[in-house]
Amino acid sequence: MKNAIGVEIPEYIEGLGKLEPFQGVWKSIIEDEVPSTNISRTLKAKKPHVSKLCKNLEEAVKRCKPFDGMTVTCHHHLRGGDGVLMQTIKILDEMGIKDITLASSSLTSAHDGLVSYVEKGMITRIFTSGIRGALGDAISVGKLKYPAIIHSHGGRVRDFLTGRIKPDLSVLAASAADEEGNATGAHGPSAFGSMGYADIDARYSRNVIIVTDNLVEYPCVPCTVRQHFIDYVVKVDSIGDATKIASGTTRITNSPMDLRIARIAATVIEHSGLFKNGMSFQVGAGGASLAVAKFLREDMKRKNIIGSFMIGGVTSYGVDMLNEGLFHSIFDVQSFDAAVSSSVLNNPNHIEISCDQYANPNNCGSMTNKLDVVVLGALEVDVDFNVNVITGSSGEIRGASGGHSDTASGANLTVVVCPAFRGRLPIVKDRVHTVVTPGESVDVIVTERGVCVNPAKPNLAAKLKEAGVQVVDIRDLKEEVEKMTGVPAEKKLGDQIVGLVEYRDGTIIDVIYNVKNLS
Amino acid sequence: MLYIPGNNPAMIQQAGVYGCDAVLLDLEDAVALNQKDAARILVRNMLKTVNFYDTEVCVRVNNFHTPFGLTDLEEIVPLQPDNIRFPKTETVADVKEFMKEVRRIEKEHGIKNPTMTIHVMIETAKGVANVYDIAAADPRIDAITIGGQDLTADMGIIKTPDGVGIDYARKRIVMAGKANDLDVLDTIFADVNDDEGLREETEYIKKIGFAGKALINPRQVDVVHDVFNPTENEVRKAYRVYSEFIKNKKAGIGVFAIDGKMVDAPVVQRAITVLEYAKIDLKEIEKNAG
Amino acid sequence: MTPKFKAQAGTFESSDIMILIEPLEKDSGRKVDISSTVILQFEEDIKKTINQVLDRLQVEGLHLIAKDKGALTQTIEARVETAVKRSLGIQEGTM
């Protein structure tokens, strides 16, 4: 069956069940109506004054009675420094547990070691928002038994609530926790900031273990995850590589090209009609996307604009803007550097939120639905404004869906920033290799060689032209770029499905086929 | 005007997208002696193929007295970039000799109406001394530039942040340029991380009459534009002065008053300069005022 | 013409290509080896560009090794031309 963007979607996939084709951004999300079944929280009980403390992670995992075919979840707040997920999988493997479904909120370079467990069939299914490095390559050539499912951040919460992901064991790292499992990422030597993605795991998993390198006197205050969801608590020497968990402050890029693109994007925002007091705003954490914040900051000061809130992955740059009074508050689902943690802890206007509140399409208070402007990156875009943030130039899985499609769907103005070409590879295509965010929810694509406005937004195009922004037809831009770079040869792909891109409403928006050779 | 090393393909292919008014593709000081051939061929190919949009393209060739100067001209002149820059100009004879070769090459390539203009660069004490004559040496010269690094070296002094050592040279070159109706462009500001220093220097050179500044990094573009671009208020005022001037001119009145202040020819001229910087079409104003 | 010297041109920077030319025995034709960050997308294109320049300059009897970091066509042409001229000894430049 074909979905709304013309992709052939299989009706059924062994090991994953029936699939629903994507029908449009808001087609299956109907107000006041929940179209899917809902699961309830696991009933748990514990006798008075019994300790939850285990002497090590192995003991805690064993007390959770792991079994073949179980689903294991983790969060990715430790980013590239995570040491907890790999430890957990190693323990399960040593116990001989097989056929595991891994549902970590994202997978980073710290998880390259999963390749051997995938190869030997210990891990057979993966649900996640992002896959990189060696694991991405392994899945891309077809080493995972069933196709990996790439969901959005909001889609993951929905997947928990509908039972698409049924977590049996959740191992959640914290930078401070007490003996009952009250836990946080906002303080302690390994502080990493918000614990927004872990909230849903804590609430809905059948067994929850808190792992910390910093066991504090009861009660752990303040805390994010609360004790009444937690089964066991483990004190370990290290939750991972501290230098990669919380590394200094995030710097604005020095790349002249990224800065140029960001400058144009900020001009687009300034003349979009949304640049006014009370504006809400989200940017990505790096490259041109984060650099937009630098120019927006200057523009806001120049024009005396005070925004309402910022959301999302939060960097120290966002914190600086909060402290300067340019925004009233920050809603923080994930923090990107050490400087953010202390703000989460000390600034009452820096509000830690769960991923549920951040982006879940099936609640009635998603922050993304209140968003005015979001600036997002892209690996590729196409003439229909679709965006790929998951597969690389060889067709390999190497990126993250993250909150891309969530924020794009909710924001009044979705701005995608990317260079017109990288190296010699054109970024504007006839069709992106993999659609993560549908063009229907993308308003403007900003490149150094011109700004493309979605034809569905003629008023916006007119406003930008009037302000002197160089608005170009996306097909003309594509042609111009190909004149410079040449037209790249078609990718040689296999016919094995190795990945499915799940849209935030649970439907399938695109299919990823295996690649034959990786350059 | 942004300086781009002539042997750097990544930077040249993107030269047109940084929003500067002009780029200088450099075959001279930014290219190592043993890469002069490579840069020359690369710049030649780039001139043929790259879209620089509405950014003016200038090529700085090597001085005539080096082994590279003439070969540079043979390759570059036929492609007629917007301008060609002649470095370390010291005498009128230098200009004459240079222009003779330029005209010969243009003739050999059948270029009857050459569009390329000449920028002369003054970077020695001798050049500063002769600048009045140099500025008038050929009608195709339309801009004159001071090279601060080489000039301080030639004078045996260090370039200080206050620029006091080259202050006389700056002012003398400005005057020579103005006397011949040329654009006068200032030297580079070397510290790309010092936006404040760049702003101060740019404000100063604007005050003493320079029309633009050389940049070594695209990140410097915004600061320099910010200094040179007139404010909204200035533009509005200039607009009013010019449209009143047109109306009065139609009525045969040369001098008039706005808000009690006299407006005469110099005031009008300043208004025109502001409007030109703001890229406002004077003909539009004339039409509206008429 | 056949090259007299070993010569190279270009850099290992992004958007550039490094060309190395080694003279071969007379009548041994051309040998071209290419590695590139965009080999999957542009292998044929790069090969064609290099051969066109060699044809235009009428050089044979050489082994050309190209290490490409996503150079555009005009850059590839410039680097091959520079390397050939250096290898023929008709232009200054260095190894």
Side-chain angles (χ1 to χ4, degrees), chain A residues 330-345:
Chain A
I330 291 183
F331 290 92
D332 186 346
V333 69
Q334 177 184 16
S335 318
F336 283 117
D337 53 56
V340 180
S341 304
S342 61
S343 177
V344 174
L345 187 63

Side-chain angles (χ1 to χ4, degrees), chain A residues 388-415:
Chain A
N388 172 18
V389 281
I390 193 75
T391 46
S393 56
S394 310
E396 82 285 11
I397 300 173
R398 53 149 289 189
S401 162
H404 205 283
S405 64
D406 297 320
T407 51
S409 73
N412 282 322
L413 177 70
T414 299
V415 180

